[in-house]
Amino acid sequence: MSWPDRLPGAVAGGPEVDCRLTSRLAPRARKAADCGRQYPLGMRAVGRVLLALTAAASWWILYRSLEPFSNWLAYSFLSMADGSRLAAAVQFFIYEAPKVLMLLAVVVFGVGIVRTFFTPERTRRLLAGRRETTGNVLGALLGVVTPFCSCSAVPLFIGFVTTGVPLGVTFSFLISAPMVNEVALVLLFGLFGWRVAALYMGTGLIVAMAAGWVIGHLRLERWVEDWVRHTTTPTAPDGTVEPPSWAARARLGRDAVKDIVGRVWPYVLAGIAVGAGIHGYVPQDFMASIMGRGAWWSVPLAVLIGIPMYSNAAGIIPIVQALLGKGAALGTVLAFMMSVIGLSLPEMIILRKVLKTPLVVAFAGVVAMGILSVGYVFNLLL
Amino acid sequence: MEVTVLGTGCARCRELCEEARKAIDVSGVAASLVKVERIDEIVKFGVMMTPALVIDGEVKCSGRIPRMPEIVSWLTAAAARTT
């Protein structure tokens, strides 16, 4: 039995339903005793909101005190010399590690709740029969908020294309879903600031929209495996699944935190440790000559190296941290990161089950071109 | 009763199998556990997210790993309906 099942709000069953009915019918002033040991709905909601506010306030206070605390720990408590390399590295790690993990927990919780509103079934209804351009934009945006795991790529693909979602729109979704995700954005925000995070999100969405649009216009439908086209997928009629309550949404959000943060924290710590090392020790322009802005071939090379590599967003951050810290150009590094997360050999092998080789190649080619342009545009502009 | 786990064999699918096995033991319901890994079989259930759990042909959840107590409640409800 996991602890949330014992939360007062999480108890499902008779008395709670009765309580809701009576409190809705009767005036609010009616005594709580009418509902046995349960509080009336109004009281319970107020209690829950207060609890949430207290949690948010303590989170904020804790978050704000991380920096002074890390300074105190590094310079006063451990009495390291101000300005020494070791002190800088230690202070960086003590500050960044809890900061990024706290941000991650909050964002994953929020996104987990948002995702309870966007089931794949709902997304499919929103996308079915859409015309190209609008569909591509919507598909890429929905890719961010719809729950997605790369092992579901194939059933999602079949579920989409067999119910009238255009091929190009389906691809916009499938490209943005793994690439633009909350873990990548939090890590980029926490370690490199909001500009890098926003750039990554914006360009990731544009690549997904444009690549899906191009794939749609190449008229590649005949390269979808024949058995997929002959599959009829049963669809659950609307309204059969009742929407979850807010308590259930909060529980799903918390499950997401446990699941995702529980899985990625070692990578996050590794990334920050690498960052701390660079912060203290490595000269800034170490990588500048080979991956700097001047080397035009570095972008395609980064994309090519990235394709066979497979990693989730959290796993790639230590490498990104190292490359950026040693003077590699931002566009090159973003292209590398997108290529590792968005294009992977294992994913293509999985997609080969539903797509014939020419379509897999076209998919990889179009996305790679998109990523390439992102790399070049950034290196030119920044 | 037939409990079916749909999943292409990733870590999350194996985890769901484990939870389902535990739930069957705990609930004491006579049920067989089947794992469906073929993608064309999986899509016939109308499921778009794996792993998914099916009890007597009815999709109970997809795209997440329900924990053992939740599966037990589904199992006992299904058992009560059949008898």
mmCIF file with all atom_site columns, all heavy atoms in Angstrom, chain A residues 97-121:
data_model
loop_
_atom_site.group_PDB
_atom_site.id
_atom_site.type_symbol
_atom_site.label_atom_id
_atom_site.label_alt_id
_atom_site.label_comp_id
_atom_site.label_asym_id
_atom_site.label_entity_id
_atom_site.label_seq_id
_atom_site.pdbx_PDB_ins_code
_atom_site.Cartn_x
_atom_site.Cartn_y
_atom_site.Cartn_z
_atom_site.occupancy
_atom_site.B_iso_or_equiv
_atom_site.pdbx_formal_charge
_atom_site.auth_seq_id
_atom_site.auth_comp_id
_atom_site.auth_asym_id
_atom_site.auth_atom_id
_atom_site.pdbx_PDB_model_num
ATOM 1   N N   . ALA A 1 97  ? 22.653 21.633 -7.543  1.00 0.00 ? 97  ALA A N   1
ATOM 2   C CA  . ALA A 1 97  ? 22.018 20.311 -7.460  1.00 0.00 ? 97  ALA A CA  1
ATOM 3   C C   . ALA A 1 97  ? 20.618 20.393 -6.835  1.00 0.00 ? 97  ALA A C   1
ATOM 4   O O   . ALA A 1 97  ? 19.650 19.980 -7.460  1.00 0.00 ? 97  ALA A O   1
ATOM 5   C CB  . ALA A 1 97  ? 22.926 19.328 -6.715  1.00 0.00 ? 97  ALA A CB  1
ATOM 6   N N   . PRO A 1 98  ? 20.474 20.964 -5.619  1.00 0.00 ? 98  PRO A N   1
ATOM 7   C CA  . PRO A 1 98  ? 19.103 21.051 -5.086  1.00 0.00 ? 98  PRO A CA  1
ATOM 8   C C   . PRO A 1 98  ? 18.226 21.983 -5.910  1.00 0.00 ? 98  PRO A C   1
ATOM 9   O O   . PRO A 1 98  ? 17.038 21.728 -6.069  1.00 0.00 ? 98  PRO A O   1
ATOM 10  C CB  . PRO A 1 98  ? 19.294 21.599 -3.666  1.00 0.00 ? 98  PRO A CB  1
ATOM 11  C CG  . PRO A 1 98  ? 20.668 22.104 -3.588  1.00 0.00 ? 98  PRO A CG  1
ATOM 12  C CD  . PRO A 1 98  ? 21.471 21.453 -4.650  1.00 0.00 ? 98  PRO A CD  1
ATOM 13  N N   . LYS A 1 99  ? 18.809 23.041 -6.470  1.00 0.00 ? 99  LYS A N   1
ATOM 14  C CA  . LYS A 1 99  ? 18.010 23.991 -7.244  1.00 0.00 ? 99  LYS A CA  1
ATOM 15  C C   . LYS A 1 99  ? 17.361 23.288 -8.435  1.00 0.00 ? 99  LYS A C   1
ATOM 16  O O   . LYS A 1 99  ? 16.149 23.389 -8.643  1.00 0.00 ? 99  LYS A O   1
ATOM 17  C CB  . LYS A 1 99  ? 18.909 25.133 -7.758  1.00 0.00 ? 99  LYS A CB  1
ATOM 18  C CG  . LYS A 1 99  ? 18.167 26.173 -8.568  1.00 0.00 ? 99  LYS A CG  1
ATOM 19  C CD  . LYS A 1 99  ? 19.091 27.216 -9.183  1.00 0.00 ? 99  LYS A CD  1
ATOM 20  C CE  . LYS A 1 99  ? 19.183 27.023 -10.682 1.00 0.00 ? 99  LYS A CE  1
ATOM 21  N NZ  . LYS A 1 99  ? 20.024 28.003 -11.367 1.00 0.00 ? 99  LYS A NZ  1
ATOM 22  N N   . VAL A 1 100 ? 18.168 22.573 -9.215  1.00 0.00 ? 100 VAL A N   1
ATOM 23  C CA  . VAL A 1 100 ? 17.629 21.929 -10.411 1.00 0.00 ? 100 VAL A CA  1
ATOM 24  C C   . VAL A 1 100 ? 16.641 20.826 -10.030 1.00 0.00 ? 100 VAL A C   1
ATOM 25  O O   . VAL A 1 100 ? 15.584 20.678 -10.651 1.00 0.00 ? 100 VAL A O   1
ATOM 26  C CB  . VAL A 1 100 ? 18.783 21.387 -11.286 1.00 0.00 ? 100 VAL A CB  1
ATOM 27  C CG1 . VAL A 1 100 ? 18.245 20.525 -12.410 1.00 0.00 ? 100 VAL A CG1 1
ATOM 28  C CG2 . VAL A 1 100 ? 19.576 22.549 -11.854 1.00 0.00 ? 100 VAL A CG2 1
ATOM 29  N N   . LEU A 1 101 ? 16.956 20.068 -8.976  1.00 0.00 ? 101 LEU A N   1
ATOM 30  C CA  . LEU A 1 101 ? 16.029 18.993 -8.575  1.00 0.00 ? 101 LEU A CA  1
ATOM 31  C C   . LEU A 1 101 ? 14.705 19.574 -8.090  1.00 0.00 ? 101 LEU A C   1
ATOM 32  O O   . LEU A 1 101 ? 13.634 19.028 -8.380  1.00 0.00 ? 101 LEU A O   1
ATOM 33  C CB  . LEU A 1 101 ? 16.665 18.111 -7.494  1.00 0.00 ? 101 LEU A CB  1
ATOM 34  C CG  . LEU A 1 101 ? 17.777 17.179 -7.991  1.00 0.00 ? 101 LEU A CG  1
ATOM 35  C CD1 . LEU A 1 101 ? 18.409 16.423 -6.838  1.00 0.00 ? 101 LEU A CD1 1
ATOM 36  C CD2 . LEU A 1 101 ? 17.248 16.202 -9.037  1.00 0.00 ? 101 LEU A CD2 1
ATOM 37  N N   . MET A 1 102 ? 14.763 20.709 -7.369  1.00 0.00 ? 102 MET A N   1
ATOM 38  C CA  . MET A 1 102 ? 13.516 21.319 -6.893  1.00 0.00 ? 102 MET A CA  1
ATOM 39  C C   . MET A 1 102 ? 12.687 21.850 -8.056  1.00 0.00 ? 102 MET A C   1
ATOM 40  O O   . MET A 1 102 ? 11.469 21.683 -8.103  1.00 0.00 ? 102 MET A O   1
ATOM 41  C CB  . MET A 1 102 ? 13.817 22.465 -5.916  1.00 0.00 ? 102 MET A CB  1
ATOM 42  C CG  . MET A 1 102 ? 14.160 21.995 -4.518  1.00 0.00 ? 102 MET A CG  1
ATOM 43  S SD  . MET A 1 102 ? 14.562 23.382 -3.446  1.00 0.00 ? 102 MET A SD  1
ATOM 44  C CE  . MET A 1 102 ? 12.911 23.996 -3.080  1.00 0.00 ? 102 MET A CE  1
ATOM 45  N N   . LEU A 1 103 ? 13.369 22.490 -9.008  1.00 0.00 ? 103 LEU A N   1
ATOM 46  C CA  . LEU A 1 103 ? 12.670 22.981 -10.199 1.00 0.00 ? 103 LEU A CA  1
ATOM 47  C C   . LEU A 1 103 ? 12.035 21.827 -10.960 1.00 0.00 ? 103 LEU A C   1
ATOM 48  O O   . LEU A 1 103 ? 10.884 21.881 -11.384 1.00 0.00 ? 103 LEU A O   1
ATOM 49  C CB  . LEU A 1 103 ? 13.658 23.681 -11.137 1.00 0.00 ? 103 LEU A CB  1
ATOM 50  C CG  . LEU A 1 103 ? 13.930 25.151 -10.916 1.00 0.00 ? 103 LEU A CG  1
ATOM 51  C CD1 . LEU A 1 103 ? 14.994 25.619 -11.899 1.00 0.00 ? 103 LEU A CD1 1
ATOM 52  C CD2 . LEU A 1 103 ? 12.661 25.956 -11.133 1.00 0.00 ? 103 LEU A CD2 1
ATOM 53  N N   . LEU A 1 104 ? 12.827 20.770 -11.101 1.00 0.00 ? 104 LEU A N   1
ATOM 54  C CA  . LEU A 1 104 ? 12.356 19.600 -11.845 1.00 0.00 ? 104 LEU A CA  1
ATOM 55  C C   . LEU A 1 104 ? 11.103 19.030 -11.196 1.00 0.00 ? 104 LEU A C   1
ATOM 56  O O   . LEU A 1 104 ? 10.112 18.748 -11.872 1.00 0.00 ? 104 LEU A O   1
ATOM 57  C CB  . LEU A 1 104 ? 13.473 18.553 -11.867 1.00 0.00 ? 104 LEU A CB  1
ATOM 58  C CG  . LEU A 1 104 ? 13.345 17.451 -12.910 1.00 0.00 ? 104 LEU A CG  1
ATOM 59  C CD1 . LEU A 1 104 ? 13.350 18.047 -14.300 1.00 0.00 ? 104 LEU A CD1 1
ATOM 60  C CD2 . LEU A 1 104 ? 14.480 16.454 -12.769 1.00 0.00 ? 104 LEU A CD2 1
ATOM 61  N N   . ALA A 1 105 ? 11.131 18.905 -9.868  1.00 0.00 ? 105 ALA A N   1
ATOM 62  C CA  . ALA A 1 105 ? 9.976  18.331 -9.171  1.00 0.00 ? 105 ALA A CA  1
ATOM 63  C C   . ALA A 1 105 ? 8.732  19.173 -9.416  1.00 0.00 ? 105 ALA A C   1
ATOM 64  O O   . ALA A 1 105 ? 7.666  18.642 -9.749  1.00 0.00 ? 105 ALA A O   1
ATOM 65  C CB  . ALA A 1 105 ? 10.272 18.220 -7.678  1.00 0.00 ? 105 ALA A CB  1
ATOM 66  N N   . VAL A 1 106 ? 8.871  20.488 -9.301  1.00 0.00 ? 106 VAL A N   1
ATOM 67  C CA  . VAL A 1 106 ? 7.704  21.359 -9.478  1.00 0.00 ? 106 VAL A CA  1
ATOM 68  C C   . VAL A 1 106 ? 7.179  21.303 -10.909 1.00 0.00 ? 106 VAL A C   1
ATOM 69  O O   . VAL A 1 106 ? 5.985  21.171 -11.154 1.00 0.00 ? 106 VAL A O   1
ATOM 70  C CB  . VAL A 1 106 ? 8.067  22.809 -9.081  1.00 0.00 ? 106 VAL A CB  1
ATOM 71  C CG1 . VAL A 1 106 ? 7.113  23.788 -9.724  1.00 0.00 ? 106 VAL A CG1 1
ATOM 72  C CG2 . VAL A 1 106 ? 8.005  22.952 -7.589  1.00 0.00 ? 106 VAL A CG2 1
ATOM 73  N N   . VAL A 1 107 ? 8.098  21.388 -11.878 1.00 0.00 ? 107 VAL A N   1
ATOM 74  C CA  . VAL A 1 107 ? 7.656  21.412 -13.272 1.00 0.00 ? 107 VAL A CA  1
ATOM 75  C C   . VAL A 1 107 ? 7.063  20.065 -13.685 1.00 0.00 ? 107 VAL A C   1
ATOM 76  O O   . VAL A 1 107 ? 6.017  20.009 -14.336 1.00 0.00 ? 107 VAL A O   1
ATOM 77  C CB  . VAL A 1 107 ? 8.817  21.818 -14.200 1.00 0.00 ? 107 VAL A CB  1
ATOM 78  C CG1 . VAL A 1 107 ? 8.412  21.672 -15.655 1.00 0.00 ? 107 VAL A CG1 1
ATOM 79  C CG2 . VAL A 1 107 ? 9.215  23.251 -13.914 1.00 0.00 ? 107 VAL A CG2 1
ATOM 80  N N   . VAL A 1 108 ? 7.692  18.977 -13.267 1.00 0.00 ? 108 VAL A N   1
ATOM 81  C CA  . VAL A 1 108 ? 7.156  17.666 -13.619 1.00 0.00 ? 108 VAL A CA  1
ATOM 82  C C   . VAL A 1 108 ? 5.776  17.467 -12.989 1.00 0.00 ? 108 VAL A C   1
ATOM 83  O O   . VAL A 1 108 ? 4.861  16.933 -13.618 1.00 0.00 ? 108 VAL A O   1
ATOM 84  C CB  . VAL A 1 108 ? 8.128  16.542 -13.181 1.00 0.00 ? 108 VAL A CB  1
ATOM 85  C CG1 . VAL A 1 108 ? 7.476  15.178 -13.269 1.00 0.00 ? 108 VAL A CG1 1
ATOM 86  C CG2 . VAL A 1 108 ? 9.376  16.569 -14.053 1.00 0.00 ? 108 VAL A CG2 1
ATOM 87  N N   . PHE A 1 109 ? 5.609  17.972 -11.777 1.00 0.00 ? 109 PHE A N   1
ATOM 88  C CA  . PHE A 1 109 ? 4.294  17.900 -11.123 1.00 0.00 ? 109 PHE A CA  1
ATOM 89  C C   . PHE A 1 109 ? 3.258  18.683 -11.926 1.00 0.00 ? 109 PHE A C   1
ATOM 90  O O   . PHE A 1 109 ? 2.174  18.171 -12.239 1.00 0.00 ? 109 PHE A O   1
ATOM 91  C CB  . PHE A 1 109 ? 4.400  18.454 -9.696  1.00 0.00 ? 109 PHE A CB  1
ATOM 92  C CG  . PHE A 1 109 ? 3.119  18.404 -8.919  1.00 0.00 ? 109 PHE A CG  1
ATOM 93  C CD1 . PHE A 1 109 ? 2.632  17.196 -8.450  1.00 0.00 ? 109 PHE A CD1 1
ATOM 94  C CD2 . PHE A 1 109 ? 2.397  19.562 -8.674  1.00 0.00 ? 109 PHE A CD2 1
ATOM 95  C CE1 . PHE A 1 109 ? 1.440  17.150 -7.736  1.00 0.00 ? 109 PHE A CE1 1
ATOM 96  C CE2 . PHE A 1 109 ? 1.206  19.519 -7.963  1.00 0.00 ? 109 PHE A CE2 1
ATOM 97  C CZ  . PHE A 1 109 ? 0.731  18.307 -7.502  1.00 0.00 ? 109 PHE A CZ  1
ATOM 98  N N   . GLY A 1 110 ? 3.599  19.918 -12.282 1.00 0.00 ? 110 GLY A N   1
ATOM 99  C CA  . GLY A 1 110 ? 2.677  20.759 -13.054 1.00 0.00 ? 110 GLY A CA  1
ATOM 100 C C   . GLY A 1 110 ? 2.340  20.127 -14.404 1.00 0.00 ? 110 GLY A C   1
ATOM 101 O O   . GLY A 1 110 ? 1.171  20.026 -14.777 1.00 0.00 ? 110 GLY A O   1
ATOM 102 N N   . VAL A 1 111 ? 3.379  19.674 -15.107 1.00 0.00 ? 111 VAL A N   1
ATOM 103 C CA  . VAL A 1 111 ? 3.153  19.066 -16.418 1.00 0.00 ? 111 VAL A CA  1
ATOM 104 C C   . VAL A 1 111 ? 2.342  17.777 -16.263 1.00 0.00 ? 111 VAL A C   1
ATOM 105 O O   . VAL A 1 111 ? 1.461  17.488 -17.074 1.00 0.00 ? 111 VAL A O   1
ATOM 106 C CB  . VAL A 1 111 ? 4.502  18.792 -17.116 1.00 0.00 ? 111 VAL A CB  1
ATOM 107 C CG1 . VAL A 1 111 ? 4.309  17.976 -18.387 1.00 0.00 ? 111 VAL A CG1 1
ATOM 108 C CG2 . VAL A 1 111 ? 5.179  20.103 -17.464 1.00 0.00 ? 111 VAL A CG2 1
ATOM 109 N N   . GLY A 1 112 ? 2.616  17.039 -15.175 1.00 0.00 ? 112 GLY A N   1
ATOM 110 C CA  . GLY A 1 112 ? 1.847  15.817 -14.923 1.00 0.00 ? 112 GLY A CA  1
ATOM 111 C C   . GLY A 1 112 ? 0.363  16.116 -14.788 1.00 0.00 ? 112 GLY A C   1
ATOM 112 O O   . GLY A 1 112 ? -0.483 15.367 -15.289 1.00 0.00 ? 112 GLY A O   1
ATOM 113 N N   . ILE A 1 113 ? 0.036  17.235 -14.148 1.00 0.00 ? 113 ILE A N   1
ATOM 114 C CA  . ILE A 1 113 ? -1.376 17.614 -13.998 1.00 0.00 ? 113 ILE A CA  1
ATOM 115 C C   . ILE A 1 113 ? -1.944 18.077 -15.340 1.00 0.00 ? 113 ILE A C   1
ATOM 116 O O   . ILE A 1 113 ? -3.031 17.666 -15.737 1.00 0.00 ? 113 ILE A O   1
ATOM 117 C CB  . ILE A 1 113 ? -1.524 18.702 -12.910 1.00 0.00 ? 113 ILE A CB  1
ATOM 118 C CG1 . ILE A 1 113 ? -1.333 18.042 -11.546 1.00 0.00 ? 113 ILE A CG1 1
ATOM 119 C CG2 . ILE A 1 113 ? -2.892 19.361 -12.981 1.00 0.00 ? 113 ILE A CG2 1
ATOM 120 C CD1 . ILE A 1 113 ? -1.456 18.966 -10.381 1.00 0.00 ? 113 ILE A CD1 1
ATOM 121 N N   . VAL A 1 114 ? -1.174 18.899 -16.067 1.00 0.00 ? 114 VAL A N   1
ATOM 122 C CA  . VAL A 1 114 ? -1.638 19.349 -17.394 1.00 0.00 ? 114 VAL A CA  1
ATOM 123 C C   . VAL A 1 114 ? -1.928 18.134 -18.277 1.00 0.00 ? 114 VAL A C   1
ATOM 124 O O   . VAL A 1 114 ? -2.911 18.088 -19.014 1.00 0.00 ? 114 VAL A O   1
ATOM 125 C CB  . VAL A 1 114 ? -0.567 20.252 -18.051 1.00 0.00 ? 114 VAL A CB  1
ATOM 126 C CG1 . VAL A 1 114 ? -0.897 20.493 -19.516 1.00 0.00 ? 114 VAL A CG1 1
ATOM 127 C CG2 . VAL A 1 114 ? -0.481 21.579 -17.312 1.00 0.00 ? 114 VAL A CG2 1
ATOM 128 N N   . ARG A 1 115 ? -1.068 17.125 -18.155 1.00 0.00 ? 115 ARG A N   1
ATOM 129 C CA  . ARG A 1 115 ? -1.216 15.957 -19.035 1.00 0.00 ? 115 ARG A CA  1
ATOM 130 C C   . ARG A 1 115 ? -2.468 15.144 -18.750 1.00 0.00 ? 115 ARG A C   1
ATOM 131 O O   . ARG A 1 115 ? -2.911 14.385 -19.604 1.00 0.00 ? 115 ARG A O   1
ATOM 132 C CB  . ARG A 1 115 ? 0.013  15.057 -18.908 1.00 0.00 ? 115 ARG A CB  1
ATOM 133 C CG  . ARG A 1 115 ? 1.151  15.662 -19.618 1.00 0.00 ? 115 ARG A CG  1
ATOM 134 C CD  . ARG A 1 115 ? 2.255  14.696 -19.893 1.00 0.00 ? 115 ARG A CD  1
ATOM 135 N NE  . ARG A 1 115 ? 3.206  15.359 -20.768 1.00 0.00 ? 115 ARG A NE  1
ATOM 136 C CZ  . ARG A 1 115 ? 4.489  15.152 -20.750 1.00 0.00 ? 115 ARG A CZ  1
ATOM 137 N NH1 . ARG A 1 115 ? 4.986  14.272 -19.912 1.00 0.00 ? 115 ARG A NH1 1
ATOM 138 N NH2 . ARG A 1 115 ? 5.270  15.797 -21.568 1.00 0.00 ? 115 ARG A NH2 1
ATOM 139 N N   . THR A 1 116 ? -3.034 15.297 -17.539 1.00 0.00 ? 116 THR A N   1
ATOM 140 C CA  . THR A 1 116 ? -4.264 14.553 -17.273 1.00 0.00 ? 116 THR A CA  1
ATOM 141 C C   . THR A 1 116 ? -5.409 15.101 -18.118 1.00 0.00 ? 116 THR A C   1
ATOM 142 O O   . THR A 1 116 ? -6.447 14.475 -18.240 1.00 0.00 ? 116 THR A O   1
ATOM 143 C CB  . THR A 1 116 ? -4.657 14.613 -15.783 1.00 0.00 ? 116 THR A CB  1
ATOM 144 O OG1 . THR A 1 116 ? -4.912 15.973 -15.430 1.00 0.00 ? 116 THR A OG1 1
ATOM 145 C CG2 . THR A 1 116 ? -3.576 14.047 -14.895 1.00 0.00 ? 116 THR A CG2 1
ATOM 146 N N   . PHE A 1 117 ? -5.226 16.306 -18.683 1.00 0.00 ? 117 PHE A N   1
ATOM 147 C CA  . PHE A 1 117 ? -6.262 16.870 -19.549 1.00 0.00 ? 117 PHE A CA  1
ATOM 148 C C   . PHE A 1 117 ? -6.079 16.437 -21.000 1.00 0.00 ? 117 PHE A C   1
ATOM 149 O O   . PHE A 1 117 ? -6.956 16.631 -21.815 1.00 0.00 ? 117 PHE A O   1
ATOM 150 C CB  . PHE A 1 117 ? -6.246 18.402 -19.481 1.00 0.00 ? 117 PHE A CB  1
ATOM 151 C CG  . PHE A 1 117 ? -6.675 18.937 -18.154 1.00 0.00 ? 117 PHE A CG  1
ATOM 152 C CD1 . PHE A 1 117 ? -5.748 19.207 -17.167 1.00 0.00 ? 117 PHE A CD1 1
ATOM 153 C CD2 . PHE A 1 117 ? -8.011 19.157 -17.900 1.00 0.00 ? 117 PHE A CD2 1
ATOM 154 C CE1 . PHE A 1 117 ? -6.136 19.699 -15.934 1.00 0.00 ? 117 PHE A CE1 1
ATOM 155 C CE2 . PHE A 1 117 ? -8.409 19.653 -16.671 1.00 0.00 ? 117 PHE A CE2 1
ATOM 156 C CZ  . PHE A 1 117 ? -7.474 19.915 -15.689 1.00 0.00 ? 117 PHE A CZ  1
ATOM 157 N N   . PHE A 1 118 ? -4.908 15.918 -21.340 1.00 0.00 ? 118 PHE A N   1
ATOM 158 C CA  . PHE A 1 118 ? -4.630 15.569 -22.726 1.00 0.00 ? 118 PHE A CA  1
ATOM 159 C C   . PHE A 1 118 ? -4.309 14.086 -22.858 1.00 0.00 ? 118 PHE A C   1
ATOM 160 O O   . PHE A 1 118 ? -3.157 13.705 -22.838 1.00 0.00 ? 118 PHE A O   1
ATOM 161 C CB  . PHE A 1 118 ? -3.448 16.386 -23.259 1.00 0.00 ? 118 PHE A CB  1
ATOM 162 C CG  . PHE A 1 118 ? -3.748 17.844 -23.370 1.00 0.00 ? 118 PHE A CG  1
ATOM 163 C CD1 . PHE A 1 118 ? -3.491 18.696 -22.308 1.00 0.00 ? 118 PHE A CD1 1
ATOM 164 C CD2 . PHE A 1 118 ? -4.298 18.364 -24.518 1.00 0.00 ? 118 PHE A CD2 1
ATOM 165 C CE1 . PHE A 1 118 ? -3.776 20.048 -22.396 1.00 0.00 ? 118 PHE A CE1 1
ATOM 166 C CE2 . PHE A 1 118 ? -4.582 19.714 -24.619 1.00 0.00 ? 118 PHE A CE2 1
ATOM 167 C CZ  . PHE A 1 118 ? -4.324 20.553 -23.554 1.00 0.00 ? 118 PHE A CZ  1
ATOM 168 N N   . THR A 1 119 ? -5.312 13.276 -22.976 1.00 0.00 ? 119 THR A N   1
ATOM 169 C CA  . THR A 1 119 ? -5.050 11.868 -23.245 1.00 0.00 ? 119 THR A CA  1
ATOM 170 C C   . THR A 1 119 ? -4.760 11.737 -24.739 1.00 0.00 ? 119 THR A C   1
ATOM 171 O O   . THR A 1 119 ? -5.153 12.592 -25.524 1.00 0.00 ? 119 THR A O   1
ATOM 172 C CB  . THR A 1 119 ? -6.271 11.022 -22.898 1.00 0.00 ? 119 THR A CB  1
ATOM 173 O OG1 . THR A 1 119 ? -7.375 11.466 -23.701 1.00 0.00 ? 119 THR A OG1 1
ATOM 174 C CG2 . THR A 1 119 ? -6.638 11.149 -21.435 1.00 0.00 ? 119 THR A CG2 1
ATOM 175 N N   . PRO A 1 120 ? -4.075 10.652 -25.135 1.00 0.00 ? 120 PRO A N   1
ATOM 176 C CA  . PRO A 1 120 ? -3.841 10.458 -26.573 1.00 0.00 ? 120 PRO A CA  1
ATOM 177 C C   . PRO A 1 120 ? -5.152 10.410 -27.356 1.00 0.00 ? 120 PRO A C   1
ATOM 178 O O   . PRO A 1 120 ? -5.210 10.881 -28.487 1.00 0.00 ? 120 PRO A O   1
ATOM 179 C CB  . PRO A 1 120 ? -3.133 9.105  -26.635 1.00 0.00 ? 120 PRO A CB  1
ATOM 180 C CG  . PRO A 1 120 ? -2.588 8.871  -25.290 1.00 0.00 ? 120 PRO A CG  1
ATOM 181 C CD  . PRO A 1 120 ? -3.418 9.640  -24.321 1.00 0.00 ? 120 PRO A CD  1
ATOM 182 N N   . GLU A 1 121 ? -6.194 9.872  -26.747 1.00 0.00 ? 121 GLU A N   1
ATOM 183 C CA  . GLU A 1 121 ? -7.488 9.798  -27.437 1.00 0.00 ? 121 GLU A CA  1
ATOM 184 C C   . GLU A 1 121 ? -7.999 11.207 -27.751 1.00 0.00 ? 121 GLU A C   1
ATOM 185 O O   . GLU A 1 121 ? -8.501 11.470 -28.835 1.00 0.00 ? 121 GLU A O   1
ATOM 186 C CB  . GLU A 1 121 ? -8.521 9.058  -26.574 1.00 0.00 ? 121 GLU A CB  1
ATOM 187 C CG  . GLU A 1 121 ? -8.338 7.550  -26.504 1.00 0.00 ? 121 GLU A CG  1
ATOM 188 C CD  . GLU A 1 121 ? -7.173 7.144  -25.616 1.00 0.00 ? 121 GLU A CD  1
ATOM 189 O OE1 . GLU A 1 121 ? -6.717 7.968  -24.791 1.00 0.00 ? 121 GLU A OE1 1
ATOM 190 O OE2 . GLU A 1 121 ? -6.683 6.000  -25.752 1.00 0.00 ? 121 GLU A OE2 1
#
